[in-house]
């Protein structure tokens, strides 16, 4: 199997290494996270104390819709007396794409929303702009540790348009908040915009331009 799996003990070492953000993805879980480690992805999930399941499936997708099974935990998971953390290493994530991961916890269903890790080729740059169908724009940048970054959008004249805090590796810009004909509310009018990505300390890690075509 291209990926590896092992049960690990909840301890201070993992609390130090695993500095990424986590969120509850399922009622049986305390947390579920994906951590980029060079060319692989480390998945960590913690079963709540008193929660158990029979077998766990690990699934991966590159579009967030179509998933393939890439691993299994063929044992009773969790414990009555304490939380239990598991680790799965995806040694071969899909390069040049965002990898989405979900767990299937026995008969208790799949986690939702997925956790994800991006492996996009920036061609030597620090960020990349992708134009999506429907007029939306997605800005990608490297954030392997899920640190907090500030994304600022400016008009071409330098006037501030939007500021967003994120721990993701991508940020999507929708040209419209909603469309209700004949009333139309536009979020960003058709124009060229400038963006910057900065750390919590205020250091700029990426800048660029994108255009909104309108509709």
């Amino acid at each position: 199997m291209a990926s590896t799996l092992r049960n690990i003990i909840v301890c201070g070492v993992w609390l130090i290494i695993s500095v990424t953000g986590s969120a509850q993805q399922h009622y049986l879980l305390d947390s579920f996270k994906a951590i980029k480690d060079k060319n692989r992805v480390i998945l960590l999930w913690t079963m709540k104390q008193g929660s158990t399941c029979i077998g766990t499936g690990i699934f991966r997708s590159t579009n967030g819709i179509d998933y393939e099974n890439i691993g299994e935990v063929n044992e009773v998971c969790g414990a009555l007396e304490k939380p239990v953390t598991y680790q799965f290493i995806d040694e071969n994530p899909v390069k040049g794409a965002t990898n989405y991961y979900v767990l299937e916890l026995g008969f208790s269903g799949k986690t939702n929303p997925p956790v994800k890790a991006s492996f996009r080729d920036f061609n030597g740059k620090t960020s990349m702009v992708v134009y999506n169908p429907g007029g939306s724009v997605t800005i990608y940048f490297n954030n392997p540790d899920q640190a907090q970054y500030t994304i600022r959008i400016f008009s071409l004249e330098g006037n501030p348009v939007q500021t967003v805090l994120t721990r993701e590796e991508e940020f999507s810009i929708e040209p419209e908040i909603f469309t209700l004909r004949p009333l139309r509310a536009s979020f960003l009018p058709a124009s060229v915009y400038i963006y910057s990505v900065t750390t919590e300390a205020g250091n700029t890690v990426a800048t660029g331009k994108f255009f909104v075509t309108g509709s």
Side-chain angles (χ1 to χ4, degrees):
M1 181 182 294
S3 303
T4 58
L5 170 71
R6 62 190 177 99
N7 186 337
I8 64 173
I9 304 299
V10 179
C11 62
V13 173
W14 280 103
L15 292 177
I16 294 172
I17 294 175
S18 182
V19 295
T20 62
S22 63
Q24 182 176 330
Q25 306 287 327
H26 192 280
Y27 70 93
L28 295 180
L29 296 181
D30 275 331
S31 64
F32 177 33
K33 64 188 72 174
I35 304 171
K36 283 177 61 178
D37 180 32
K38 296 182 180 179
N39 292 322
R40 63 182 190 169
V41 177
I42 301 173
L43 300 179
L44 291 173
W45 66 95
T46 300
M47 299 284 296
K48 292 181 179 179
Q49 179 179 345
S51 296
T52 60
C53 67
I54 301 175
T56 301
I58 299 95
F59 294 81
R60 181 182 65 207
S61 170
T62 56
N63 59 13
I65 299 173
D66 304 306
Y67 285 87
E68 63 172 329
N69 187 302
I70 60 171
E72 299 279 349
V73 181
N74 295 313
E75 61 184 66
V76 175
C77 303
L80 297 177
E81 66 277 6
K82 63 179 180 180
V84 181
T85 296
Y86 296 87
Q87 171 182 298
F88 179 89
I89 301 177
D90 185 1
E91 300 284 0
N92 292 297
V94 180
K95 303 304 189 294
T98 298
N99 292 251
Y100 300 85
Y101 298 91
V102 298
L103 305 174
E104 188 169 47
L105 301 169
F107 299 106
S108 301
K110 291 182 179 178
T111 56
N112 185 55
V115 296
K116 55 189 175 181
S118 179
F119 286 87
R120 294 185 177 272
D121 184 4
F122 296 163
N123 294 319
K125 298 181 180 179
T126 54
S127 63
M128 176 176 63
V129 175
V130 173
Y131 296 93
N132 307 309
S136 66
V137 177
T138 303
I139 299 170
Y140 294 93
F141 61 98
N142 280 316
N143 188 10
D145 298 323
Q146 294 180 322
Q148 181 169 285
Y149 284 88
T150 301
I151 299 176
R152 292 182 173 87
I153 308 297
F154 302 90
S155 69
L156 200 57
E157 295 74 29
N159 299 317
V161 174
Q162 187 180 23
T163 300
V164 176
L165 298 178
T166 183
R167 292 185 180 272
E168 302 290 336
E169 294 185 309
E170 60 190 69
F171 174 68
S172 292
I173 299 148
E174 301 292 339
E176 296 174 357
I177 296 177
F178 63 87
T179 300
L180 182 61
R181 300 184 186 279
L183 177 64
R184 179 184 295 269
S186 295
F187 178 52
L188 289 180
S191 184
V192 177
Y193 294 89
I194 301 169
Y195 69 87
S196 69
V197 182
T198 57
T199 66
E200 288 188 280
N203 300 318
T204 300
V205 297
T207 59
K209 295 180 180 180
F210 65 92
F211 65 87
V212 171
T213 58
S215 58

